[in-house]
Amino acid sequence: QVHFIQSGAEVKRPGASVKISCKAFGYSFSSHLLHWVRRAPGRSLEWVGWINSDYGVTKYSPKFQDRVTINSESSANTAYLDLRSLTVDDTATYYCAAGTTKGRGAFDLWGPGTVITVSS
Amino acid sequence: VMTQTPLSSPVALGQSASISCRSSQGLVHSDGGTYLSWLHQRPGQPPRLLIYKISNRFSGVPDRFSGAGAGTEFTLKISRVETEDVGVYFCMQSTHFPITFGQGTRLEIK
């Protein structure tokens, strides 16, 4: 069965960095774009960026452009989100997502989420 | 910018609910497609896809859910609301960069 497994919850201090992972099972990362989306408490969903693992191409939201890196290990079918200079506003659940069957923008596969808490 | 209304929708079981999503610019892509999706998120769960490209119901989604619209105005309608429908509904556009979401509409049973 196709699914994602994400790494466990993280607690960080302001100014720190965090790196979380998303591993695919029953599905090849290189097939489609892999997106990262977050949802802060009481807020809406927010798109962070995507990676095309086949070509190593990434695209980031302007909001995160200066402090985010998305990369992947094709052999491990795993993608990573690296977020730097954390602030309390980065406290959120971070999801990996992909559109595997219906094309652009149809995110039909989601990971369970990784909670990142930023607190002093 | 994607603007959803209402932000909260109390609905009686068996009744209908309608959620609007307005985009600040047209969502027709240069390839002719309109990339407007609807997602549903229950507490403690990841979002799940309901509707893609305005009106296409994703597999396994009950036909009580329907999407419509064009240009900048889109609607999700839920007929015969059931208890499992509670949660937050989001519209999402992926025509323009960056991908953006509506604020979310919380559906609750009254």
Side-chain angles (χ1 to χ4, degrees), chain A residues 35 37 39 43-47 50 59-62 65 95 101-108 110-113, chain B residues 29 35 37 39 41 45-49 52-53 58 88 90 92 94-99 101-104 106:
Chain A
H35 298 257
V37 177
R39 188 178 180 200
R43 306 288 299 272
S44 182
L45 296 166
E46 192 170 28
W47 179 74
W50 57 248
K59 191 91 168 177
Y60 303 125
S61 167
Q65 174 74 45
Y95 300 98
T101 61
K102 300 302 182 184
R104 184 186 182 110
F107 292 178
D108 55 0
W110 291 75
Chain B
H29 192 270
Y35 299 104
S37 301
L39 303 161
Q41 186 173 29
Q45 296 187 15
R48 69 171 184 130
L49 179 66
Y52 62 97
K53 292 182 73 174
F58 185 59
V88 183
F90 299 96
M92 178 189 111
S94 53
T95 294
H96 303 296
F97 174 82
I99 291 171
F101 298 86
Q103 311 99 301
R106 184 171 300 278

Side-chain angles (χ1 to χ4, degrees), chain A residues 7-18:
Chain A
S7 49
E10 301 268 5
V11 179
K12 296 292 182 181
R13 300 290 190 199
S17 298
V18 68

Side-chain angles (χ1 to χ4, degrees), chain A residues 26-82:
Chain A
Y27 162 72
S28 173
F29 259 5
S30 63
S31 305
H32 307 93
L33 301 182
L34 187 286
H35 298 257
W36 286 95
V37 177
R38 76 178 189 181
R39 188 178 180 200
R43 306 288 299 272
S44 182
L45 296 166
E46 192 170 28
W47 179 74
V48 178
W50 57 248
I51 184 167
N52 178 324
S53 297
D54 256 357
Y55 299 99
V57 174
T58 54
K59 191 91 168 177
Y60 303 125
S61 167
K63 177 175 179 176
F64 302 100
Q65 174 74 45
D66 293 338
R67 59 189 188 97
V68 68
T69 301
I70 298 173
N71 53 28
S72 66
E73 265 184 87
S74 296
S75 59
N77 227 17
T78 301
Y80 303 91
L81 173 69
D82 187 344

Side-chain angles (χ1 to χ4, degrees), chain B residues 9-108:
Chain B
S9 181
V11 181
L13 288 173
Q15 297 302 301
S16 295
S18 185
I19 301 170
S20 294
C21 178
R22 174 178 293 177
S23 173
S24 58
Q25 56 182 308
L27 294 185
V28 179
H29 192 270
S30 56
D31 66 9
T34 301
Y35 299 104
L36 186 285
S37 301
W38 290 94
L39 303 161
H40 175 217
Q41 186 173 29
R42 298 186 181 106
Q45 296 187 15
R48 69 171 184 130
L49 179 66
L50 296 175
I51 303 284
Y52 62 97
K53 292 182 73 174
I54 303 177
S55 59
N56 295 274
R57 202 178 305 114
F58 185 59
S59 57
V61 175
D63 59 8
R64 302 184 292 103
F65 292 87
S66 61
T72 61
E73 302 277 349
F74 305 92
T75 303
L76 175 71
K77 184 176 179 182
I78 310 168
S79 303
R80 305 181 305 280
V81 166
E82 300 181 2
T83 52
E84 66 180 21
D85 299 336
V86 299
V88 183
Y89 291 82
F90 299 96
C91 60
M92 178 189 111
Q93 72 78 25
S94 53
T95 294
H96 303 296
F97 174 82
I99 291 171
T100 51
F101 298 86
Q103 311 99 301
T105 296
R106 184 171 300 278
L107 183 77
E108 56 191 36

